[in-house]
Amino acid sequence: GQSEVSRALAPTVKEINYNPRYEELFAPVAGPENPFLTQQMRAPKNMLTGFVENAHISDFQFENQRKTFHSYGYALDPSVDGKGTAPEEGPSYVGHLQAAYDTDGATVFESTKSKVSAGEKRKRVKNDAPEDVEGFLGPWGKYEDEQTVARPNEKERAEIEEMMAKKHRRHKVKEDKPIEEKSILHIKDAFDYQGRSFLHPPHDVGVNLRKAGAPDRCFLPKAHIHSWTGHTKGISAIRWFPVSAHLLLSCSMDARVKLWEVYNERRCVRTYSGHRQAVRDVSFNNKGERFISAGYDRYLKLWDTETGDVISRFNSRKIPFCVKFHPDFNKQHLFVAGTSDKKIICWDTRTGEIVQEYDRHLGAVNTITFVDENRRFVTTSDDKSLRVWEWDIPVDMKYIADPTMHSMPAVTLAPNGKWLACQSLDNKIVIFSAINRFKMNRKKTFTGHMVSGYACNLDFSPDMSYLVSGDGDGKCYIWDWKTTKLYKKWQAHDNVCIATLWHPHEASKLVTAGWDGLIKYWD
């Protein structure tokens, strides 16, 4: 009586410790039926969405119906088995039913009646007499009522001319007379008792601003000590006065450039307004007595820092995105600008002429950085590449692009001249060596901030122990250069924190600028 009792095997069991017989293994599932199953859930399934079984259809018939549907817009209804419900109804179709009934459901492999019946054909001019050499037409005769040249009549011509004029007007860049440039001095004591202007670094601030060396050891800033206010829209770039950094130059989307004191009362010294639209970049020459501003109104303007006069204007009809003076003292009359039409253009300020064009990038040029004792410069662009140029040779000597690379809209050279820190739009800072091979340093990437879509300028601390950057949420981040560890982050601005600068002579002072129009000083 023992053998008849079959041992039930739960279908969920994963392993069994005896050898069941075939009948036991494949016995139907025993047990009560789940009363809560819907009809759909009870249905037999062999895959998640239902029960699949092979349908047998010849490839030829399938293709035939598919092509017929593409060509004529109808095909046999695949869900009906061959014929309609009743035999006298004939086959049923899907798609353009009228056409199907007109042609009796002919497929592409059966010739339908010629589309145009003989009477509807247009008459051609015929002359196929081969002896008539000049007038021989053969099969190429024109239709009898064909008009070959369709000239616009008077009304149409007037409309076309009006349209073309409108088009020309739209594409013409308005060549306005340059906006009147003015500059306002905001301080009473522009000259001290010795007749030295505000460009002269102060002696009484407890820091030697003339020495070239950096502080021996830098520290993380802790507190917000000052805000420079005055710009009405977001800042786009900030620059230290060369060497001494006792002044700070800022350019903004409100089309103005301002010069600020960094020491003593920290006043606004001068405002320079000469652009119609937002100013994208500014760059001092080596002495700091001149600077260039690049605006979205397609003008580059060379200003006298002290008097606020515009010395000259340059226009290449394209928007300049970045501008740099050549850092060599014997080449201070040359500056380069990266433009929206993929070029890097070099101007001579003495003649106002373009002296060189570097035209190899495939997208707008975002940054220009001089390396290797200023014999070369590195540019980055929207084409996600980095190119290295020998000065004055308009063919890139090195082209770095990698499918994994992203656009790098902000690049900073390390104080020791050996590394380039590039803000990459996939929320990383990547490091390239700036000497010999320009190889990417895979071990050093700095992450944690959110910059996709913003060209947040970054900076090194002068002793190269830290790297600092803003981000798209207005935070400021400081990483350790050696270990790439994130040391500190804090909310610096209400909007994008677009630029950060570490003071070259102060161990722990940092300037940040944001799209909220503020420039903040941290210590």
Side-chain angles (χ1 to χ4, degrees), residues 19 44 95 490:
N19 271 349
W490 72 95

Side-chain angles (χ1 to χ4, degrees), residues 40-218:
Q40 205 173 357
M41 292 156 94
R42 264 194 222 109
K45 292 184 178 180
N46 62 2
M47 61 177 293
L48 201 60
T49 50
F51 197 79
V52 173
E53 49 186 24
N54 283 342
H56 297 286
I57 179 168
S58 80
D59 288 345
F60 169 75
Q61 283 301 343
F62 181 83
E63 279 301 294
N64 191 2
Q65 293 299 332
R66 186 181 71 79
K67 289 176 175 164
T68 304
F69 191 80
H70 266 269
S71 304
Y72 299 156
Y74 61 82
L76 283 174
D77 185 350
S79 61
V80 180
D81 226 357
K83 297 277 180 289
T85 43
E88 61 273 7
E89 279 184 20
S92 69
Y93 297 100
V94 288
H96 184 11
L97 300 179
Q98 192 53 51
Y101 298 134
D102 289 350
T103 59
D104 213 8
T107 61
V108 281
F109 284 96
E110 305 158 52
S111 63
T112 55
K113 290 197 294 295
S114 148
K115 293 278 190 312
V116 190
S117 61
E120 292 170 12
K121 273 200 173 158
R122 294 169 69 184
K123 293 268 191 304
R124 280 184 183 276
V125 178
K126 203 165 175 174
N127 176 4
D128 46 10
E131 61 272 13
D132 181 0
V133 177
E134 293 297 311
F136 178 71
L137 291 173
W140 303 285
K142 294 194 167 58
Y143 293 113
E144 281 177 354
D145 52 355
E146 185 175 348
Q147 294 187 355
T148 30
V149 180
R151 284 207 185 83
N153 57 32
E154 287 306 310
K155 183 168 170 245
E156 288 172 327
R157 192 173 294 135
E159 277 176 17
I160 290 171
E161 272 168 11
E162 188 187 346
M163 193 174 78
M164 294 306 288
K166 210 183 232 170
K167 198 165 167 186
H168 281 311
R169 274 205 303 278
R170 193 175 326 134
H171 285 293
K172 196 158 171 257
V173 178
K174 288 209 246 335
E175 285 296 325
D176 301 315
K177 50 185 189 302
I179 183 172
E180 55 143 341
E181 294 125 347
K182 53 181 192 290
S183 169
I184 305 155
L185 183 69
H186 299 290
I187 54 173
K188 298 271 186 290
D189 48 346
F191 298 92
D192 62 4
Y193 65 96
Q194 287 184 330
R196 297 177 301 199
S197 77
F198 52 80
L199 299 188
H200 186 80
H203 289 266
D204 52 355
V205 291
V207 181
N208 178 5
L209 297 176
R210 265 159 226 74
K211 70 171 193 302
D216 305 330
R217 175 87 187 82
C218 286

Side-chain angles (χ1 to χ4, degrees), residues 172-427:
K172 196 158 171 257
V173 178
K174 288 209 246 335
E175 285 296 325
D176 301 315
K177 50 185 189 302
I179 183 172
E180 55 143 341
E181 294 125 347
K182 53 181 192 290
S183 169
I184 305 155
L185 183 69
H186 299 290
I187 54 173
K188 298 271 186 290
D189 48 346
F191 298 92
D192 62 4
Y193 65 96
Q194 287 184 330
R196 297 177 301 199
S197 77
F198 52 80
L199 299 188
H200 186 80
H203 289 266
D204 52 355
V205 291
V207 181
N208 178 5
L209 297 176
R210 265 159 226 74
K211 70 171 193 302
D216 305 330
R217 175 87 187 82
C218 286
F219 307 98
L220 297 172
K222 301 264 192 308
H224 173 212
I225 53 174
H226 185 71
S227 287
W228 286 283
T229 57
H231 281 298
T232 54
K233 288 188 183 156
I235 313 281
S236 38
I238 47 177
R239 298 278 179 262
W240 290 123
F241 190 83
V243 187
S244 64
H246 70 290
L247 297 169
L248 180 72
L249 189 67
S250 67
C251 63
S252 155
M253 323 235 187
D254 60 10
R256 288 183 181 68
V257 179
K258 286 179 182 281
L259 190 66
W260 315 84
E261 288 181 327
V262 177
Y263 291 100
N264 300 329
E265 295 165 55
R266 303 195 173 119
R267 302 165 294 182
C268 179
V269 183
R270 239 188 204 292
T271 300
Y272 310 83
S273 47
H275 284 282
R276 274 203 159 69
Q277 288 165 346
V279 187
R280 172 67 192 253
D281 198 12
V282 281
S283 172
F284 274 116
N285 69 355
N286 286 1
K287 291 209 188 89
E289 88 273 9
R290 295 177 167 194
F291 69 87
I292 283 194
S293 62
Y296 278 102
D297 56 359
R298 299 182 169 79
Y299 273 99
L300 292 138
K301 303 205 172 182
L302 179 63
W303 302 79
D304 184 305
T305 316
E306 189 183 317
T307 63
D309 299 333
V310 172
I311 302 164
S312 45
R313 301 161 195 83
F314 309 90
N315 181 356
S316 76
R317 296 170 181 266
K318 292 288 180 280
I319 299 172
F321 283 149
C322 53
V323 59
K324 276 266 174 36
F325 271 100
H326 193 291
D328 281 354
F329 273 100
N330 58 353
K331 296 200 181 75
Q332 284 289 287
H333 54 278
L334 298 174
F335 72 90
V336 280
T339 61
S340 57
D341 73 335
K342 323 179 184 54
K343 291 193 177 87
I344 299 121
I345 300 178
C346 177
W347 265 282
D348 189 328
T349 56
R350 302 169 301 186
T351 59
E353 302 288 317
I354 292 178
V355 290
Q356 184 62 279
E357 280 191 2
Y358 305 83
D359 181 11
R360 303 273 291 181
H361 271 296
L362 308 170
V365 179
N366 293 322
T367 67
I368 300 172
T369 314
F370 282 89
V371 295
D372 191 17
E373 297 174 348
N374 312 326
R375 290 192 287 264
R376 300 176 174 158
F377 62 96
V378 176
T379 58
T380 64
S381 141
D382 287 354
D383 63 9
K384 305 185 184 176
S385 72
L386 181 142
R387 289 174 199 251
V388 187
W389 314 76
E390 299 271 353
W391 176 252
D392 224 13
I393 297 176
V395 179
D396 38 347
M397 59 162 273
K398 194 156 182 71
Y399 163 74
I400 301 173
D402 173 323
T404 61
M405 268 166 59
H406 285 247
S407 185
M408 298 184 291
V411 176
T412 301
L413 183 68
N416 63 8
K418 285 185 186 160
W419 304 102
L420 288 166
C422 309
Q423 187 79 264
S424 171
L425 285 191
D426 54 347
N427 299 331

